[in-house]
Amino acid sequence: MTRQSEHIDVLIIGAGISGIGAAHYLQTERPGSSYAVLEARGVSGGTWALFRYPGVRSDSDLHTFGYAFKPWRNDKSIATADLILDYLRETAGESGIEAHIRYHHRVRGAAWSTAEARWTVEVERADTGETVSMTANWLFCAGGYYRYDEGFTPRFEGRERFAGQIVHPQHWPEDLDCAGKKIVVIGSGATAVTLIPALADTAGHVTMLQRSPTYILPVASKDVIANTLRKVLPAGLAYRLTRRKNIAVQRLVWRTSRRHPRVVRRLIRAVNIRQLPAGYPVDEHFNPPYDPWDQRLCTVPDADLFKVLKKGTASVVTDRIATFTETGIRLESGRELDADIIVTATGLNVQLFGGMALSVDGEPVDFADKVAFKGMMLSGVPNFAFAIGYTNSSWTLKVGLLCEHFTRLLGHMDATGTDICCPELPDPAMPTRPLLDFGAGYVKRSLHVMPRQGLSFPWLMSMNYHSDVKLLRGGPVEDDNLRFASAARQAKAETSA
């Protein structure tokens, strides 16, 4: 039985870094709007509360990954999950957002009615077992783009033969004992390069097994300039200056990588050589077949990965898996890797919008048929916004700009007396391309179920912060591709006709 609940102006889905940020902007810029944050799990924090594997941390600096409105005060710029989680929960607590979070509320589906200019949302209560129906003027989906209940593990021949323990980082057992064990970590992305130094502290030996290399660059875990500025300037000013500096550095690295990939490849290789033992086969294990930033570049704080390689407590093997065996993994080269524990750091499963189903006036929404508008709405779907951050710099930089634009959009609708806002394609045959132009395996596996993007603004999924500042913060809300309407005026016109 479904119980009818209250009406909310804006329903924010997800209480992670994007959802808490959206709530802040909404209550700050739109204090008269009612809102609730629906969180499927029993805790806030999103990714930073979900992942529990050893060493879990950010791979972006917290002066840009943190919120623009709340300075990051810890001296660690590359921070561990516990510090990030404290920061997020402090933000939610001190500003009253926590009181608006509804835990154990999983959104199963939402149906839009143009006649009523509202969404009817079906919510499953995990704590009580009941289903609640809520209505809202707007949905703001802040749940990221991957599944929380399962990570991606490819099929490995002979997996069932392995006598040891197989673990996926997304489901790390709290009681897993790694001390003195031989551990093979399959993968070479951000999760793998985070895990390996942490495991190597106590394990007998850790092997990173990769099919192909990844660009890996050491960075300082502490930002000396940021920490110095904080000592001599007010915290807010020091944070703003550091943020601008780091945004500029991120953009410089990305643009240089795209314009001069050979130069950047040589520079990264030279840095790797300096960090690795003399005579190390750097081209075999640290020279990817693609250009820098075709996939996300991995950073390692204080060169921790290189330190354990130099120490000998960890090693890298570049090969393909033939089969699991009773005692480890046999590679295509014929080499065998002994293991007590195998960690499948093999990626994520993409799931947009929390897996919920949408319909518009009775017609199911097929996300693969939709095109993203300004990177925050979908063609043909009224009063629906979402937050997907940058893939080439800090996620939160984009989310903050989207939230600012969203509140401006609501203000425009109030000023014009409209209650419906819907992007419309200028031409159904408009050329499109994948939503995320990103070479990661988890993205490629899911392109067939994801919305798409156009070739130019406003249908472009921009990854340029400075362009987005001009367009989302300073640019107009009105657009030829955005239709505003009033349900009441439409009904009156239809009655008169």
Side-chain angles (χ1 to χ4, degrees):
M1 181 177 179
T2 300
R3 179 170 62 85
Q4 188 68 35
S5 186
E6 79 270 37
H7 176 79
I8 299 290
D9 289 332
V10 181
L11 275 181
I12 299 170
I13 302 168
I17 193 167
S18 300
I20 292 171
H24 168 86
Y25 283 100
L26 189 64
Q27 70 178 23
T28 302
E29 303 299 327
R30 303 276 306 165
S33 296
S34 62
Y35 78 92
V37 183
L38 305 185
E39 170 55 52
R41 304 171 71 228
V43 294
S44 62
T47 295
W48 305 106
L50 175 71
F51 288 115
R52 296 292 185 181
Y53 60 83
V56 57
R57 56 167 173 79
S58 68
D59 61 353
S60 298
D61 74 277
L62 263 295
H63 298 96
T64 56
F65 190 72
Y67 299 119
F69 56 83
K70 181 175 173 61
W72 176 258
R73 291 184 168 88
N74 194 281
D75 64 349
K76 285 273 191 178
S77 179
I78 304 296
T80 51
D82 58 324
L83 295 176
I84 299 171
L85 198 56
D86 288 345
Y87 171 82
L88 295 180
R89 291 176 177 171
E90 182 178 276
T91 302
E94 67 188 10
S95 56
I97 294 169
E98 180 65 34
H100 293 264
I101 302 176
R102 317 278 180 88
Y103 293 108
H104 303 291
H105 281 57
R106 181 181 298 276
V107 177
R108 291 300 187 186
W112 168 262
S113 168
T114 298
E116 297 178 347
R118 63 175 51 182
W119 289 96
T120 299
V121 184
E122 181 183 332
V123 182
E124 181 182 280
R125 291 282 303 271
D127 52 345
T128 65
E130 67 180 333
T131 299
V132 177
S133 178
M134 305 177 71
T135 58
N137 298 336
W138 273 85
L139 297 184
F140 188 100
C141 190
Y145 58 62
Y146 67 88
R147 291 188 62 162
Y148 274 29
D149 59 342
E150 65 175 25
F152 174 74
T153 302
R155 181 185 178 277
F156 292 116
E157 185 70 29
R159 177 188 175 116
E160 67 286 349
R161 296 165 55 194
F162 180 59
Q165 194 163 359
I166 301 174
V167 178
H168 192 286
Q170 195 164 321
H171 310 285
W172 196 270
E174 290 185 10
D175 59 351
L176 183 63
D177 181 13
C178 298
K181 302 293 180 62
K182 290 176 288 186
I183 303 174
V184 175
V185 178
I186 302 173
S188 59
T191 301
V193 302
T194 299
L195 264 169
I196 288 162
L199 292 172
D201 283 343
T202 59
H205 188 80
V206 183
T207 302
M208 181 169 80
L209 173 59
Q210 59 182 12
R211 289 188 302 176
S212 60
T214 299
Y215 288 106
I216 300 176
L217 192 65
V219 296
S221 64
K222 295 183 178 181
D223 187 325
V224 175
I225 294 176
N227 293 339
T228 301
L229 288 176
R230 197 165 57 245
K231 292 176 182 177
V232 299
L233 296 174
L237 177 58
Y239 183 64
R240 290 193 296 273
L241 292 175
T242 301
R243 192 173 170 89
R244 289 179 183 177
K245 169 185 74 75
N246 290 0
I247 288 170
V249 170
Q250 288 176 10
R251 189 62 186 163
L252 176 63
V253 170
W254 188 82
R255 292 185 68 178
T256 304
S257 297
R258 306 314 290 161
R259 293 179 178 181
H260 308 287
R262 292 183 181 179
V263 173
V264 174
R265 178 191 288 267
R266 288 196 296 269
L267 288 172
I268 295 175
R269 183 178 184 275
V271 170
N272 290 167
I273 288 173
R274 285 199 298 271
Q275 297 291 339
L276 291 163
Y280 191 88
V282 62
D283 289 324
E284 179 181 357
H285 302 311
F286 290 93
N287 189 16
Y290 53 85
D291 286 336
W293 276 112
D294 282 353
Q295 297 186 32
R296 192 174 178 92
L297 190 151
C298 286
T299 57
V300 291
D302 302 326
D304 59 1
L305 175 67
F306 297 106
K307 288 177 180 176
V308 296
L309 293 177
K310 186 176 289 188
K311 188 177 179 181
T313 53
S315 58
V316 179
V317 173
T318 304
D319 206 333
R320 290 181 175 269
I321 296 172
T323 183
F324 281 29
T325 66
E326 291 81 358
T327 59
I329 297 173
R330 183 181 305 126
L331 305 175
E332 290 186 355
S333 64
R335 180 178 177 181
E336 298 214 9
L337 300 177
D338 289 337
D340 302 305
I341 300 170
I342 295 175
V343 180
T344 55
T346 45
L348 311 167
N349 279 322
V350 169
Q351 183 185 64
L352 289 178
F353 315 131
M356 65 179 173
L358 298 182
S359 65
V360 173
D361 293 328
E363 292 294 324
V365 173
D366 184 348
F367 295 120
D369 289 339
K370 302 303 177 183
V371 184
F373 174 82
K374 290 186 178 179
M376 63 177 290
M377 297 179 70
L378 295 176
S379 58
V381 183
N383 293 29
F384 178 84
F386 63 92
I388 290 182
Y390 292 124
T391 57
N392 63 352
S393 59
S394 289
W395 175 273
T396 327
L397 290 175
K398 179 65 174 271
V399 173
L401 293 174
L402 294 177
C403 291
E404 288 183 42
H405 195 79
F406 177 65
T407 59
R408 292 176 55 215
L409 179 61
L410 297 184
H412 174 80
M413 294 176 72
D414 279 352
T416 56
T418 54
D419 51 15
I420 299 173
C421 173
C422 186
E424 292 184 344
L425 291 173
D427 180 357
M430 182 184 80
T432 61
R433 56 190 174 119
L435 182 72
L436 299 174
D437 289 342
F438 195 42
Y442 64 87
V443 172
K444 290 182 177 180
R445 288 193 302 271
S446 304
L447 291 177
H448 65 289
V449 297
M450 297 172 69
R452 298 182 65 79
Q453 64 170 312
L455 306 184
S456 60
F457 187 81
W459 300 101
L460 184 69
M461 195 77 172
S462 170
M463 290 291 156
N464 186 319
Y465 175 75
H466 294 295
S467 294
D468 284 339
V469 167
K470 296 176 182 177
L471 297 168
L472 296 175
R473 179 179 292 163
V477 167
E478 289 184 292
D479 189 280
D480 292 341
N481 299 275
L482 199 58
R483 179 177 63 85
F484 294 95
S486 164
R489 288 202 292 264
Q490 284 186 350
K492 185 177 181 180
E494 290 172 3
T495 301
S496 300

